[in-house]
Amino acid sequence: MSVDPTTNKAADLARARAALIGSPALAPEKRPVPDAATLRRALGDLFELWLSGQARDAGVTGGSGFALLAVGGLARGEMLPYSDLDLVLLHDGDQPEKVQAIADELWYPIWDANIGLDHSVRTVPEALRVAGEDLSAALGLLDARHIAGDEDLSDLLIGEIRQQWRRDAPRRLPQLVEHAQQRWVRAGEVAHRSEPDVKNGRGGLRDVQLLNALALAHLTDGLRLAAEDAPGGGLGTAYRRLLDVRTELHRVAGRGREQLRAQDADEIAAALHLGDRFALSRLISDEARTISFAVEVGLRTARGAVPRRSRSMRGLLPVRRPLDEGVVEHGGEVVLARDAIPSHDPGLVLRAANASARTGMPISTSTLHRLADYAPEIRGTWSGSVRDSLLDLLATGPALLEPVEALDRMGLWGRLFPEWDFVRDLPPRDAMHAWTVDRHLLEAVAHAAPLTTRVSRPDLLLLGALVHDIGKGRGGDHSEIGARMAGVIGTRMGLWPDDVDILADVVTHHLLLAQTIARRDVDAPETAAYVAGKIGHSAVLLEILGALAEADAKATGPGVWSDWKETLTGRLVANTAELIGGGVVEPPAPLTEAALARYQADDVVVEITPTDQDHRFDVTMSAPDESGVLAKMAGVLAISDLRVLRAVVRSEAGKAINTFTVAPFYGDPPEAGLLRQRLRGALAGTIDVPQRLAQMRSVPEPRAPRDGVPGQAVLAPPVVRWVHDDVATLEVRATDRPGLLSAVSAVIERNGGSIRWAAVTTMGGTVVDTFALSWEAPVDQRRRLIIAEQVRAACLET
């Protein structure tokens, strides 16, 4: 659809853009534009035609003293479906009475067309002054391109801006670097995030624009970086492919989104003819790594190109300082010594990486290429020195990430670990994971390094962290597959056979503690016996698994490891260690006669005691043991703004005496007397707990977005499953809502079940509740399915 340049109506522009983009509901093959690049060109032509006509009608013509310039995506020829228009109205300052009227005639139709607009009105001196003060404005104006009006005025600004940038860029380089680093902290890394920001993240599109700005100031070689045979691959190709991803991301999302969500990945992959989201993830990671490498080299070159003050003649000659055997520092980089021979030294790669991690200096590009060209694969069993170099590298913690990334980019890491090919750039299947699988493994090592003093075998902890998920991406149980692979890796590295067995066991059981905490009572003696039996009563393996559980959780994503999970893991490990050491794990202390008498003296008792953790309290409630009492207790806690983290249920002499570990949503918990009063009311029926909970939730009926307008919040579908274990365990995953524990408890109690204990974990607004149950009579599979369906319905009740 074209725009009539004589009318320039906002509605024409809106309709034309919508026709080009097409509905995101259409299959890719039915969309009006065949590919992302064609769509960008068509959108650019559309906006330029419309703006030229609008500018002409507003009096912005040749020799008028006014000019319309594009910056941003339109200026670069990269107009995306829902990108904002970035425009500058330039004037010579001789006709101030016309400026506002012309600006209104240009800007208002764009707003009326519901198109985002970033605009400014400047004279040439004003634009130069703003660019000199505001780094973002300066970078934007470097892309400025004439659209309509007085072309001489546009050329004057473009020429002056670029001359000013070349003059000031060396002085502003530290500010430019800090600006980029702050952006990287906010947006993360494109190559390894499971849901990357392809525009702003490290290795994203804005980094290429940063390199272009450096090249324009002659601080780095833009042509070399853009070449197809450049280090790390062609920057231009990487940029175009990420731009295609971003284009389809806009089209699928129906708005200007920069972060690729997992639920959109398959559709974007199909539009780009990539097959599935795994292929898309690998493409994004590959291209982002190319850009990251280029920006790293470009910034390093730019720093070297800026003259330093007060450098003596001696200071101009970089000193070669030894760092390790065959590895030296030269000019702030890790390089090979003059007499180093990579083809005869298999351990040289790891020593260079280790030196980089310990000093914080990057491995030079020439060194990486020399190692890639000549370093041999290690055939047969590793020597002890090579293995020690790997362990030294892993022990550096977060510092290992950059050098390992450099090795992997050049194919050197894969020579050490051929198994890495299966997990490289592999997107996670679980939404809780923030990283691709390969980066998750390295993050786990980084988090394990500070924990090495907790265990007697720190080497096996680090190696276990490195390979615990190595079996992913092959189908089947990744723990079993990974254990076999870990055995091969350990043997190749020259570990003692017993150590190879431990490493394989670490991979086999790396989820054991987390799953046990979720499904069993950590304080029960039989739980410690269960874990000890699983690990063959190995104290060394138990230590490693305890530390790895923490490192693995921290490497998964924010909020996965909590102080509460740390407490439960610590108690489980301590109880199991006591049992393995020949001690006896005592069950929770029974109620003393005095406590039992206190609970028997009154029909309803409520006690609140602080725990050893901040904002955590134990609430013990006692009431006559009858059907539904647990649901009412949990409901009273919910309407009192207390989130239940764990519940332990017991019955003594006809009384239900249940202890809940709770966390107030805010402030301190209510007084025990108030909770007691509310529990009495719930038991007597004077307080309708379900009704109170419904009022608290007050969630309108969910509805989907419609016509591009966001809908109301949609509840994630709950997942309810029976865990096949020697304990009848029901696992419930659902959107966190007030009274969820009460609702599920009510279903279980209505069906004749008793809850022995319950644990609640909340992650990102989703709860994972686990209930250990007992039944008065055996429950067959059909009955279990009915109960699960009733629980699922209860999770969705409003």
Side-chain angles (χ1 to χ4, degrees):
M1 180 177 180
S2 63
V3 175
D4 181 354
T6 64
T7 60
N8 302 313
K9 300 295 185 181
D12 289 338
L13 179 61
R15 282 195 297 269
R17 183 179 74 155
L20 284 174
I21 296 171
S23 169
L26 289 175
E29 64 274 10
K30 295 183 179 180
R31 290 174 183 163
V33 178
D35 57 46
T38 304
L39 174 58
R40 291 193 298 272
R41 287 194 297 271
L43 287 170
D45 292 344
L46 167 67
F47 281 111
E48 286 201 41
L49 173 63
W50 190 91
L51 288 169
S52 297
Q54 192 71 14
R56 184 183 60 248
D57 291 350
V60 181
T61 58
S64 65
F66 288 88
L68 183 64
L69 287 82
V71 295
L74 182 59
R76 294 190 297 270
E78 301 169 0
M79 201 62 198
L80 270 66
Y82 295 98
S83 289
D84 292 349
L85 279 173
D86 294 330
L87 302 173
V88 177
L89 176 60
L90 197 63
H91 64 98
D92 57 13
D94 292 340
Q95 307 169 75
E97 71 283 356
K98 291 185 177 181
V99 171
Q100 188 61 54
I102 291 176
D104 289 347
E105 196 163 347
L106 289 172
W107 308 151
Y108 274 98
I110 298 173
W111 288 324
D112 290 343
N114 198 29
I115 293 171
L117 174 64
D118 187 0
H119 62 89
S120 61
V121 180
R122 308 269 191 242
T123 62
V124 171
E126 288 171 346
L128 290 171
R129 177 178 52 78
V130 171
E133 297 171 353
D134 186 332
L135 183 61
S136 296
L139 294 174
L141 285 170
L142 290 177
D143 293 325
R145 184 165 61 85
H146 176 78
I147 296 294
D150 192 335
E151 194 163 357
D152 290 339
L153 193 60
S154 296
D155 290 344
L156 176 62
L157 175 62
I158 293 170
E160 290 291 332
I161 280 289
R162 295 188 174 187
Q163 183 177 347
Q164 176 177 283
W165 175 251
R166 292 190 186 101
R167 183 182 67 248
D168 294 345
R171 173 180 58 82
R172 303 181 76 174
L173 182 60
Q175 182 188 6
L176 185 67
V177 173
E178 182 182 5
H179 189 265
Q181 289 173 338
Q182 290 174 349
R183 171 167 54 82
W184 295 337
V185 169
R186 290 193 303 270
E189 296 186 50
V190 177
H192 302 293
R193 290 285 185 181
S194 59
E195 295 187 329
D197 183 332
V198 295
K199 176 184 177 182
N200 300 298
R202 183 171 185 179
L205 297 169
R206 286 189 62 182
D207 282 349
V208 179
Q209 295 155 19
L210 167 64
L211 287 173
N212 289 338
L214 292 174
L216 190 62
H218 306 305
L219 293 178
T220 193
D221 188 349
L223 292 176
R224 181 178 65 84
L225 291 171
E228 295 301 320
D229 60 350
L235 186 62
T237 299
Y239 185 79
R240 289 191 297 274
R241 286 175 177 169
L242 284 191
L243 194 60
D244 287 347
V245 171
R246 186 180 172 219
T247 303
E248 292 300 337
L249 172 58
H250 276 220
R251 185 150 53 176
V252 169
R255 62 184 182 88
R257 176 179 291 137
E258 312 305 341
Q259 186 173 27
L260 190 151
R261 301 181 304 177
Q263 58 263 43
D264 296 330
D266 280 323
E267 188 173 350
I268 294 172
L272 296 174
H273 308 291
L274 293 174
D276 60 18
R277 68 186 184 97
F278 298 100
L280 175 65
S281 176
R282 285 197 157 98
L283 177 135
I284 292 173
S285 185
D286 285 345
E287 308 310 345
R289 286 180 170 193
T290 296
I291 294 172
S292 291
F293 181 81
V295 80
E296 177 186 324
V297 173
L299 288 176
R300 206 183 309 162
T301 304
R303 290 189 182 100
V306 176
R308 300 180 185 177
R309 297 178 181 177
S310 303
R311 285 182 87 178
S312 65
M313 202 60 195
R314 180 174 179 175
L316 292 173
L317 300 175
V319 177
R320 298 175 73 88
R321 179 169 64 94
L323 298 175
D324 206 333
E325 182 67 30
V327 182
V328 300
E329 172 198 352
H330 180 71
E333 295 180 326
V334 174
V335 302
L336 299 184
R338 291 188 178 96
D339 59 352
I341 306 176
S343 59
H344 296 170
D345 191 348
L348 191 56
V349 170
L350 286 171
R351 293 202 301 276
N354 191 25
S356 174
R358 286 188 287 106
T359 62
M361 293 183 294
I363 306 173
S364 76
T365 304
S366 60
T367 295
L368 287 170
H369 278 276
R370 187 178 172 194
L371 290 170
D373 289 341
Y374 297 108
E377 293 187 26
I378 304 176
R379 301 190 180 278
T381 304
W382 290 18
S383 67
S385 61
V386 174
R387 186 171 61 251
D388 289 343
S389 294
L390 173 67
L391 292 171
D392 288 344
L393 174 62
L394 300 183
T396 61
L400 71 89
L401 298 174
E402 290 296 332
V404 171
E405 169 64 19
L407 297 186
D408 197 32
R409 184 173 56 236
M410 304 304 295
L412 293 163
W413 190 251
R415 294 183 196 177
L416 298 169
F417 299 102
E419 298 83 0
W420 206 259
D421 289 343
F422 289 90
V423 296
R424 183 181 291 109
D425 307 329
L426 183 67
R429 295 186 180 274
D430 193 325
M432 289 190 299
H433 281 261
W435 305 102
T436 55
V437 175
D438 57 334
R439 181 55 179 266
H440 167 73
L441 292 174
L442 296 177
E443 289 284 337
V445 175
H447 286 290
L451 308 178
T452 51
T453 53
R454 294 188 191 177
V455 299
S456 59
R457 291 299 304 271
D459 54 340
L460 295 180
L461 169 61
L462 294 173
L463 293 175
L466 182 66
V467 301
H468 72 277
D469 277 344
I470 200 69
K472 288 188 173 180
R474 293 173 176 251
D477 187 328
H478 78 280
S479 296
E480 294 180 2
I481 296 171
R484 293 193 292 271
M485 296 170 67
V488 173
I489 293 171
T491 301
R492 185 171 68 237
M493 291 178 59
L495 298 179
W496 287 102
D498 288 348
D499 291 344
V500 172
D501 291 341
I502 293 176
L503 182 62
D505 287 341
V506 168
V507 177
T508 298
H509 299 298
H510 73 274
L511 296 175
L512 175 63
L513 298 183
Q515 291 176 343
T516 301
I517 288 170
R519 299 173 182 175
R520 293 171 175 266
D521 182 1
V522 297
D523 296 318
E526 55 268 26
T527 300
Y530 168 79
V531 173
K534 283 283 188 180
I535 63 174
H537 288 74
S538 170
V540 172
L541 181 55
L542 178 65
E543 283 182 341
I544 296 172
L545 292 177
L548 181 56
E550 179 175 344
D552 188 14
K554 288 180 176 178
T556 297
V560 176
W561 184 256
S562 63
D563 55 354
W564 181 241
K565 185 172 287 188
E566 181 178 10
T567 296
L568 295 180
T569 303
R571 279 170 26 196
L572 177 57
V573 170
N575 287 347
T576 307
E578 178 70 21
L579 185 65
I580 291 174
V584 176
V585 178
E586 298 291 343
L591 293 174
T592 63
E593 292 186 5
L596 187 57
R598 188 169 67 252
Y599 294 133
Q600 293 289 351
D602 200 341
D603 59 337
V604 175
V605 177
V606 175
E607 296 176 339
I608 301 177
T609 55
T611 68
D612 57 359
Q613 296 184 32
D614 293 338
H615 308 294
R616 300 287 187 270
F617 300 85
D618 283 337
V619 178
T620 300
M621 293 180 159
S622 171
D625 192 0
E626 58 188 32
S627 178
V629 66
L630 177 60
K632 292 175 182 177
M633 288 178 174
V636 166
L637 295 173
I639 66 176
S640 302
D641 293 321
L642 296 172
R643 180 163 56 96
V644 178
L645 302 176
R646 188 171 180 82
V648 177
V649 180
R650 73 173 85 195
S651 179
E652 297 279 353
K655 299 293 290 290
I657 306 172
N658 303 329
T659 300
F660 304 85
T661 301
V662 302
F665 281 101
Y666 53 86
D668 295 324
E671 295 292 334
L674 177 59
L675 294 180
R676 180 172 177 267
Q677 179 183 352
R678 288 175 175 171
L679 181 56
R680 280 185 180 276
L683 295 171
T686 57
I687 295 179
D688 189 336
V689 171
Q691 182 182 29
R692 293 279 295 273
L693 290 173
Q695 292 171 350
M696 288 178 63
R697 290 191 290 261
S698 300
V699 178
E701 182 179 354
R703 71 165 189 256
R706 184 173 146 186
D707 298 330
V709 179
Q712 296 163 345
V714 178
L715 297 177
V719 174
V720 181
R721 63 177 186 144
W722 291 94
V723 178
H724 298 289
D725 210 334
D726 55 353
V727 177
T729 307
L730 184 69
E731 183 180 89
V732 181
R733 301 185 182 193
T735 301
D736 193 12
R737 306 169 69 199
L740 190 62
L741 176 61
S742 176
V744 175
S745 301
V747 171
I748 293 170
E749 290 175 324
R750 282 201 308 267
N751 283 275
S754 298
I755 299 175
R756 293 169 47 188
W757 60 269
V760 178
T761 304
T762 304
M763 290 175 285
T766 299
V767 296
V768 180
D769 291 3
T770 308
F771 303 87
L773 309 176
S774 59
W775 305 90
E776 296 175 357
V779 178
D780 59 20
Q781 183 63 23
R782 178 176 173 276
R783 188 63 183 161
R784 288 191 176 199
L785 292 175
I786 293 173
I787 294 170
E789 186 57 39
Q790 291 177 2
V791 170
R792 193 175 294 111
C795 292
L796 292 173
E797 288 179 356
T798 60

